[in-house]
Amino acid sequence: MSPLGWSALSWAIGILLVAPLLTQVAHHLDRGQYQSLILIAATSFGSFFCLLTGFFKTVWVFLFYILFIAASIIIAEAVHTRNLGLMIRGLAAHDSGKHLVLRRRAAASQLSLYCTAIGGIGAALMAAFMYHMLRRTDQLTGLWVVSIFSGLIWFIGICHGLFTNRPSSSSPTTAFEPNFISKLKYSMTIGRYPQAIGSLVAVFLSSFATMCIFTSGTLYAIGGVCIKPVLVLALWILYFLFPLISLPLLHPIQIIIRADAVRMQLLGFIIALFVSGAGFYFKSHRWRAAHIIIIALVQSTANGILYSFGRILLLDASPPGKEGAFAIWYAYVRCMGAMIGFAVASAGPGRAGGSFAAAFLGSFLGIIVLIFGNVSNIGALKAAGHLKGMEDDKRIGEKGEGMSAVADSGESRGRV
């Protein structure tokens, strides 16, 4: 197996190993009082293995490094996704009816888009640091330095967990600790919400397509076009930093046209469909650097749109107080889609056409799921119970109209 194949295998093992822990994490996120400790533990676990890998000068330890880092990222992302759901629910807590839908849409898109855009800064900095270290003659030493530096950055992230405490609003119903079966049933709560299942399928397909395009495009630029390493660095920096411009500009446009999360995801899938289709059609042509840069800029915007609005749609489908049970599924499915996309793209580094075709198929299936899969933003909010105020107002309005009709009829009879 190639190093890329071993990386995909370690990634897959990490996803499988963390699955039993997610039932415990979901229960403690929604019904416990120590959510910050879960975030600190996951971040410390990932930081420890980054530092540990940098101190052992052997190649095989990187397999365990990838394995444990993948598991840590899933739990940490689940905690952050739950926190985002609580923030969105709190910002729209004083609204009801149609105002709640508009307020929630504006707040959720603004938070998610800006967080995604700012996250690109860290990715660009790490890409630049990695390129600087790997230019040295002893590349393994440079890679170990990058690993240690990554561990230190993760260790600084523990401070976020220390000052961020969002406990659950619900108290445990019994004084006894629930058994594993009860926690497993609670983590499977998402199965009762078809809107959430549809959003998870869209998240999986979007993660698969975007990772497949990114990996296959990078491998083709290095092996097929044979561009210089400094141009690869410039390509990555443009890919990570361009969403700082495109995503904030997209937010006011979304508010003006009143597009919900489903329509924005359709936009992201259409862009990814165009990029993967162009890559497959022109796979035998000689690409220039300008063509690769344009594709990178367009695809980075599509990636940001799909990532931002994918979790918004899932959080809209999660009932109040159960954001943790839904967030673990989002983090797990998204990581699984990225892993499969990476494995498909890296299986044949010299056959970029097949990888672009797989990404094209994933994007097309994502569009089909969102259009014909009965997935809607309003339907998700209603099924999750966020629009009870709108339904109550509607019933009150209908009752008021009925009473006024009775009064009018009584008044007419009195005149007769």
Side-chain angles (χ1 to χ4, degrees), residues 23-24 26-27 31 178-193 322 325-326 328-329:
T23 58
Q24 306 287 332
H27 172 78
R31 299 183 178 179
N179 54 21
F180 178 78
I181 301 299
S182 301
K183 294 179 180 179
L184 181 62
K185 289 181 180 180
Y186 179 76
S187 63
M188 295 295 177
T189 307
I190 194 172
R192 299 199 296 264
Y193 298 87
K322 295 183 179 180
F326 283 64
I328 61 167
W329 281 103

Side-chain angles (χ1 to χ4, degrees), residues 2 4 7 9 12 14 24 102 143 151 183 186 204 214 217-218 222 225 263 270 273-274 303 335 359-360 390 396 416:
S2 64
L4 295 175
S7 300
L9 179 62
Q24 306 287 332
L102 297 177
L143 192 58
K183 294 179 180 179
Y186 179 76
F204 173 81
F214 177 79
T218 302
I222 296 174
V225 185
R263 295 177 181 176
I270 291 173
L273 191 75
F274 168 77
N303 190 9
C335 189
F360 182 88
M390 178 182 291
I396 292 173
V416 171

Side-chain angles (χ1 to χ4, degrees), residues 33 44 57 62 86 93 105 119 147 160 163 168 183 212 214 221 241 247 265 285 309-310 316 337 355 388 394:
Q33 301 295 326
S44 304
K57 294 187 177 182
F62 280 97
L86 296 182
R105 181 183 302 170
S147 177
H160 175 69
F163 298 102
S168 60
K183 294 179 180 179
C212 199
F214 177 79
L241 292 184
L247 295 185
Q265 273 193 292
H285 292 69
F309 291 97
D316 287 341
S355 302
K388 289 183 178 180
K394 186 177 180 181

Side-chain angles (χ1 to χ4, degrees), residues 341-385:
F342 178 81
V344 170
S346 60
R351 298 185 297 271
S355 302
F356 283 120
F360 182 88
L361 179 61
S363 302
F364 179 75
L365 291 178
I367 295 174
I368 296 298
V369 168
L370 291 177
I371 295 178
F372 300 101
N374 195 22
V375 180
S376 66
N377 191 246
I378 300 297
L381 290 172
K382 288 182 178 179

Side-chain angles (χ1 to χ4, degrees), residues 14-192:
I15 292 176
L16 294 176
L17 289 179
V18 78
L21 296 177
L22 295 181
T23 58
Q24 306 287 332
V25 173
H27 172 78
H28 289 289
L29 284 179
D30 289 333
R31 299 183 178 179
Q33 301 295 326
Y34 303 101
Q35 289 78 8
S36 59
L37 292 181
I38 297 176
L39 178 59
I40 293 173
T43 308
S44 304
F45 193 73
S47 174
F48 172 75
F49 278 96
C50 283
L51 297 174
L52 191 65
T53 304
F55 287 111
F56 289 94
K57 294 187 177 182
T58 177
V59 178
W60 289 101
V61 76
F62 280 97
L63 300 178
F64 299 97
Y65 161 74
I66 297 172
L67 187 154
F68 292 113
I69 288 298
S72 301
I73 287 177
I74 292 175
I75 297 177
E77 186 171 7
V79 178
H80 286 299
T81 303
R82 173 190 174 268
N83 291 343
L84 178 63
L86 296 182
M87 294 168 64
I88 295 172
R89 179 154 60 94
L91 290 173
H94 300 289
D95 298 310
S96 62
K98 186 178 180 180
H99 296 285
L100 185 143
V101 177
L102 297 177
R103 175 65 174 172
R104 186 180 178 94
R105 181 183 302 170
S109 61
Q110 186 175 17
L111 285 174
S112 189
L113 285 173
Y114 278 72
C115 290
T116 304
I118 293 174
I121 299 177
L125 291 176
M126 288 304 302
F129 180 73
M130 183 175 64
Y131 171 79
H132 174 71
M133 295 305 302
L134 293 182
R135 285 193 309 165
R136 302 176 179 274
T137 55
D138 190 2
Q139 294 185 351
L140 284 179
T141 302
L143 192 58
W144 290 320
V145 173
V146 172
S147 177
I148 295 174
F149 181 74
S150 302
L152 295 176
I153 295 297
W154 266 49
F155 191 76
I156 295 175
I158 296 176
C159 299
H160 175 69
L162 294 175
F163 298 102
T164 303
N165 185 24
R166 294 184 174 92
S168 60
S169 57
S170 61
S171 58
T173 56
T174 61
F176 301 99
E177 180 72 15
N179 54 21
F180 178 78
I181 301 299
S182 301
K183 294 179 180 179
L184 181 62
K185 289 181 180 180
Y186 179 76
S187 63
M188 295 295 177
T189 307
I190 194 172
R192 299 199 296 264

